[in-house]
Coordinates of all heavy atoms in Angstrom, one line a residue:
G25 N -28.2 12.6 12.4 CA -28.7 13.9 12.8 C -30.1 14.2 12.1 O -31.0 14.8 12.7
I29 N -33.7 14.9 14.0 CA -33.7 16.3 13.9 C -34.8 17.0 14.8 O -34.6 18.1 15.3 CB -33.9 16.8 12.4 CG1 -33.6 18.3 12.3 CG2 -35.3 16.4 11.9 CD1 -33.5 18.8 10.8
F47 N -19.9 17.3 4.5 CA -20.1 16.0 3.8 C -20.2 16.3 2.3 O -19.6 15.7 1.4 CB -21.3 15.3 4.3 CG -21.6 14.0 3.6 CD1 -20.7 12.9 3.7 CD2 -22.7 13.8 2.7 CE1 -20.9 11.7 3.1 CE2 -22.9 12.6 2.1 CZ -22.0 11.6 2.2
A48 N -21.0 17.3 1.9 CA -21.2 17.7 0.5 C -19.9 18.1 -0.1 O -19.6 17.8 -1.3 CB -22.3 18.8 0.4
T59 N -12.5 13.0 -11.7 CA -12.9 13.3 -13.1 C -11.9 14.2 -13.8 O -12.2 14.9 -14.8 CB -14.3 14.0 -13.1 OG1 -14.3 15.1 -12.2 CG2 -15.4 13.0 -12.8
V94 N -20.4 41.8 19.5 CA -19.7 42.8 18.7 C -18.4 42.2 18.2 O -18.1 42.5 17.0 CB -19.5 44.1 19.6 CG1 -18.5 45.0 18.8 CG2 -20.8 44.8 19.9
I133 N -10.8 29.4 18.7 CA -10.1 29.1 20.0 C -10.5 30.2 21.0 O -10.8 29.9 22.1 CB -8.6 29.1 19.8 CG1 -8.2 27.8 19.0 CG2 -7.9 29.1 21.1 CD1 -6.8 27.8 18.5
I137 N -12.6 29.8 24.6 CA -12.1 30.3 25.8 C -13.1 31.2 26.5 O -13.4 31.2 27.7 CB -10.8 31.0 25.7 CG1 -9.7 29.9 25.2 CG2 -10.3 31.7 27.0 CD1 -8.4 30.5 24.9
Y141 N -15.0 30.8 30.1 CA -15.0 31.9 31.1 C -16.4 32.2 31.5 O -16.7 32.5 32.7 CB -14.3 33.1 30.5 CG -14.3 34.3 31.4 CD1 -13.4 34.4 32.5 CD2 -15.3 35.3 31.3 CE1 -13.5 35.5 33.4 CE2 -15.3 36.4 32.1 CZ -14.4 36.5 33.2 OH -14.5 37.6 34.0
L149 N -23.5 27.6 38.6 CA -22.7 26.7 37.8 C -23.5 25.4 37.5 O -23.9 24.7 38.4 CB -21.4 26.3 38.6 CG -20.4 25.4 37.8 CD1 -19.9 26.2 36.6 CD2 -19.2 25.0 38.7
N155 N -24.0 18.1 29.6 CA -24.2 19.5 29.1 C -23.7 19.5 27.6 O -22.5 19.6 27.4 CB -23.3 20.4 30.0 CG -23.6 21.9 29.6 OD1 -23.8 22.2 28.4 ND2 -23.4 22.8 30.5
T163 N -15.4 20.3 21.9 CA -15.0 19.7 20.6 C -14.4 20.7 19.7 O -13.3 20.5 19.0 CB -16.2 19.1 19.9 OG1 -16.8 18.1 20.8 CG2 -15.9 18.4 18.6
L166 N -10.8 21.7 21.0 CA -9.7 20.7 20.8 C -9.4 20.6 19.3 O -8.3 20.5 18.9 CB -10.2 19.4 21.4 CG -10.3 19.3 22.9 CD1 -10.9 18.0 23.4 CD2 -8.9 19.5 23.5
Y175 N -1.6 23.7 10.7 CA -1.4 24.7 9.7 C -0.1 25.4 9.8 O 0.6 25.7 8.8 CB -2.6 25.8 9.7 CG -3.9 25.3 9.3 CD1 -5.1 25.8 9.9 CD2 -4.1 24.3 8.4 CE1 -6.3 25.3 9.5 CE2 -5.3 23.8 8.0 CZ -6.4 24.3 8.5 OH -7.7 23.9 8.2
S184 N 10.5 23.4 3.3 CA 11.7 22.9 4.0 C 12.2 21.6 3.4 O 11.5 21.0 2.5 CB 11.3 22.6 5.5 OG 10.6 21.4 5.6
Y186 N 12.1 18.8 4.6 CA 11.3 17.7 5.1 C 9.9 17.7 4.4 O 8.9 17.2 5.0 CB 11.1 17.8 6.6 CG 12.5 17.9 7.3 CD1 12.9 19.2 7.8 CD2 13.3 16.8 7.5 CE1 14.1 19.3 8.5 CE2 14.5 16.9 8.1 CZ 14.9 18.1 8.6 OH 16.1 18.2 9.3
W194 N -1.7 15.8 6.9 CA -3.2 15.7 6.6 C -3.8 14.4 7.0 O -5.0 14.4 7.2 CB -3.3 15.9 5.0 CG -2.9 17.3 4.7 CD1 -1.7 17.7 4.1 CD2 -3.6 18.5 5.0 NE1 -1.6 19.1 4.1 CE2 -2.8 19.6 4.6 CE3 -4.8 18.8 5.6 CZ2 -3.1 20.9 4.7 CZ3 -5.2 20.1 5.8 CH2 -4.4 21.2 5.3
G209 N -21.8 13.3 16.6 CA -22.8 12.2 16.6 C -23.3 11.9 18.1 O -24.4 11.7 18.3

Side-chain angles (χ1 to χ4, degrees):
I29 192 170
F47 180 69
T59 51
V94 170
I133 291 169
I137 293 172
Y141 177 79
L149 184 61
N155 186 331
T163 301
L166 293 173
Y175 290 149
S184 76
Y186 306 104
W194 294 104

